[in-house]
Amino acid sequence: MLYGAQRGFASMTTNTGHNGTNGDSTWALHQPEKKIDWAYRAMHGSVVIAKQVVSAFYSKKSFTSFYAGCSTGGYQGLKEVQMFPEDFDGVLVSAPAWWHSHLQTWSIKVGLYNLPVNSSHHIPASLFPTIGAEVLRQCDPSDGLVDGIISDPRRCDVNLEALLCTPSANKSACLTSPQISTLYKIYTDWYEADQTFVYNHLELGSESQWSLINTTSGTPDSFSIGYVQNWDFNYSIVQTAERLNLAMHDASNYNISAFRARGGKLLHYHGYADGFIPTGCSVYYYKHVQRALAPMGIELDDWYRLFLIPGMNHCSKSAVNAPWYIAGPNQAGGLVRGTGIRSVPGFEDAEHDMLMALVRWVEQKQAPDQIIGTKYKNDTVSEGVLRQRPICNYPNRAVYNGSGDVDDARSWKCVKGLQ
């Protein structure tokens, strides 16, 4: 709520119909009405009431309204766009957990890849930095500049066998053949029988946030297990999840033309190094919206834009000093002493601040082709800026001009697609 209020917005938030703590989903067990509240009803009802309060307080019948949220908050934003397109004029979503029936089961699946702990294929967490360093060594140059950042992991043809143990290798910093097989599973999309796609893979460069793979406890991610148990799942993976009406808890309606028809604008971004929700899941959603609307003659670029942020983890921060800060939802908490920080200190404008870019798009009809990401030294504003770089409208990507300071955004440009 502070995110909007400190910028001068009349703001609202909701507990989505229940009281609970982070990671605890026991409130949902045998509680169908609470699950409906969580899925959409509490958010929409709160928005309706909040608009009535604001209208009465300011004696104003009409005003523009905006939404911003990351992860589950991103899911809620997409759910609003799909079910209640009249609620918001502009919606900003980051790393949305929009496909819960697949995400939570995948979170267990990817953990099971690395179990049991005493198996030959288990990769201990102590080797994650070794894997990340080798991936960075191979993939960093793929964008034409060695700067410690993987700009686009999908352009990297990685050779995971370079991590294999040899007679002369340090056995604490190499992998066996069975462990390499586990690594391939982690970096590969999940398919079931008859090549049925289930969920996306973790990207190269996400290794610093592999808590889902860290199965030292002997079990997969506890939150996902709790989700499966407390939401009345039987463990037959996705089929059971979908059969038990979990589609209500997915934001998987790709026909969002009603939102576009009333003039709504949707900004969507995701970090390439996200270790909790694979980046590809956002690309999957974007492309399926394209598939749904192109036959209707509807192009996306004038109302829906996606931005992929190199090196950024889930919602915020970066393990490789990539420019990640764009003043998005949940991001100020990633800065040292970030509570109370408004916008992008030193750069409070629509070129650097994603929410301001959305407001300008809605109110001035100026769409953002890029947003400049900022990395403060040690993620501390008072220490100054380490580097800045443009983050481009998908499928475009940023490339170095070939001259000038690589840490200056002016030395970079956005180019089309895979050029």
Side-chain angles (χ1 to χ4, degrees):
M1 191 166 177
L2 179 64
Y3 178 73
Q6 65 185 4
R7 295 163 176 260
F9 288 88
S11 302
M12 58 75 61
T13 188
T14 173
N15 69 351
T16 62
H18 73 276
N19 293 318
T21 57
N22 187 35
D24 177 18
S25 59
T26 56
W27 58 267
L29 185 61
H30 307 314
Q31 298 291 334
E33 293 302 312
K34 286 186 178 180
K35 286 189 278 192
I36 294 173
D37 285 339
W38 179 88
Y40 63 88
R41 187 166 58 192
M43 177 60 72
H44 173 63
S46 298
V47 170
V48 171
I49 294 171
K51 285 187 174 184
Q52 293 171 350
V53 172
V54 171
S55 181
F57 184 84
Y58 290 102
S59 300
K60 196 172 183 179
K61 291 185 177 180
S62 63
F63 43 83
T64 52
S65 56
F66 298 89
Y67 177 91
C70 184
S71 197
T72 297
Y75 152 82
Q76 292 166 332
L78 288 181
K79 201 71 170 177
E80 281 285 304
V81 167
Q82 294 166 16
M83 295 186 68
F84 309 104
E86 70 283 357
D87 276 2
F88 295 101
D89 300 288
V91 171
L92 174 60
V93 298
S94 170
W98 65 269
W99 209 1
H100 278 282
S101 61
H102 290 227
L103 168 61
Q104 304 303 339
T105 45
W106 167 84
S107 296
I108 295 174
K109 179 78 168 180
V110 77
L112 290 172
Y113 289 153
N114 205 28
L115 286 172
V117 173
N118 61 358
S119 65
S120 62
H121 66 264
H122 175 75
I123 305 174
S126 60
L127 282 174
F128 294 173
T130 297
I131 297 168
E134 179 60 26
V135 166
L136 180 62
R137 185 189 71 80
Q138 293 190 39
C139 297
D140 183 7
S142 65
D143 58 10
L145 178 69
V146 177
D147 59 352
I149 300 170
I150 303 173
S151 293
D152 185 351
R154 300 188 175 202
R155 294 172 59 84
C156 178
D157 184 15
V158 69
N159 174 27
L160 296 179
E161 281 71 20
L163 287 160
L164 278 169
C165 293
T166 63
S168 61
N170 179 353
K171 297 301 186 291
S172 65
C174 63
L175 277 69
T176 64
S177 179
Q179 290 172 325
I180 294 291
S181 295
T182 298
L183 208 50
Y184 272 108
K185 291 179 181 178
I186 293 168
Y187 292 131
T188 302
D189 289 345
W190 177 14
Y191 283 87
E192 282 293 315
D194 301 321
Q195 288 299 297
T196 301
F197 175 79
V198 182
Y199 207 66
N200 301 90
H201 64 275
L202 289 171
E203 296 288 350
L204 297 164
S206 64
E207 300 79 15
S208 66
Q209 203 175 40
W210 272 9
S211 62
L212 296 178
I213 314 298
N214 184 357
T215 51
T216 305
S217 65
T219 63
D221 175 57
S222 60
F223 175 78
S224 296
I225 290 176
Y227 184 94
V228 167
Q229 292 171 335
N230 295 308
W231 290 69
D232 302 326
F233 278 40
N234 293 317
Y235 191 69
S236 59
I237 324 257
V238 180
Q239 292 87 348
T240 299
E242 292 177 336
R243 180 176 58 81
L244 291 175
N245 197 29
L246 262 295
M248 178 179 69
H249 305 111
D250 290 340
S252 53
N253 180 1
Y254 307 121
N255 183 355
I256 52 176
S257 57
F259 180 71
R260 179 251 189 187
R262 63 171 300 275
K265 308 297 183 188
L266 175 59
L267 282 184
H268 177 174
Y269 67 92
H270 204 136
Y272 258 131
D274 194 325
F276 291 108
I277 301 177
T279 315
C281 195
S282 281
V283 176
Y284 183 94
Y285 182 81
Y286 179 86
K287 288 187 173 182
H288 277 71
V289 172
Q290 277 187 316
R291 291 189 191 186
L293 301 188
M296 301 164 60
I298 298 175
E299 299 290 337
L300 301 191
D301 212 43
D302 64 340
W303 62 281
Y304 176 16
R305 296 194 173 190
L306 172 65
F307 295 78
L308 303 180
I309 304 181
M312 189 178 83
N313 296 130
H314 186 59
C315 295
S316 66
K317 305 200 76 170
S318 171
V320 293
N321 289 326
W324 62 270
Y325 189 70
I326 54 175
N330 298 25
Q331 284 205 326
L335 298 174
V336 176
R337 293 184 293 278
T339 302
I341 287 180
R342 184 186 71 181
S343 189
V344 184
F347 308 91
E348 296 188 14
D349 57 46
E351 305 300 324
H352 299 78
D353 182 320
M354 189 65 98
L355 180 59
M356 293 181 70
L358 178 61
V359 171
R360 184 173 66 179
W361 195 9
V362 169
E363 296 185 348
Q364 301 178 28
K365 312 304 180 187
Q366 184 175 340
D369 293 321
Q370 65 176 39
I371 193 82
I372 296 174
T374 299
K375 167 66 180 178
Y376 294 101
K377 297 175 183 176
N378 299 311
D379 287 330
T380 304
V381 172
S382 61
E383 294 186 16
V385 173
L386 175 66
R387 57 168 55 110
Q388 292 182 313
R389 190 166 298 181
I391 300 160
C392 308
N393 175 27
Y394 179 84
N396 300 336
R397 62 186 183 88
V399 296
Y400 178 53
N401 287 334
S403 62
D405 185 355
V406 297
D407 294 330
D408 188 330
R410 292 171 295 185
S411 301
W412 295 75
K413 63 181 178 180
C414 290
V415 299
K416 293 183 178 180
L418 297 177
Q419 291 188 105

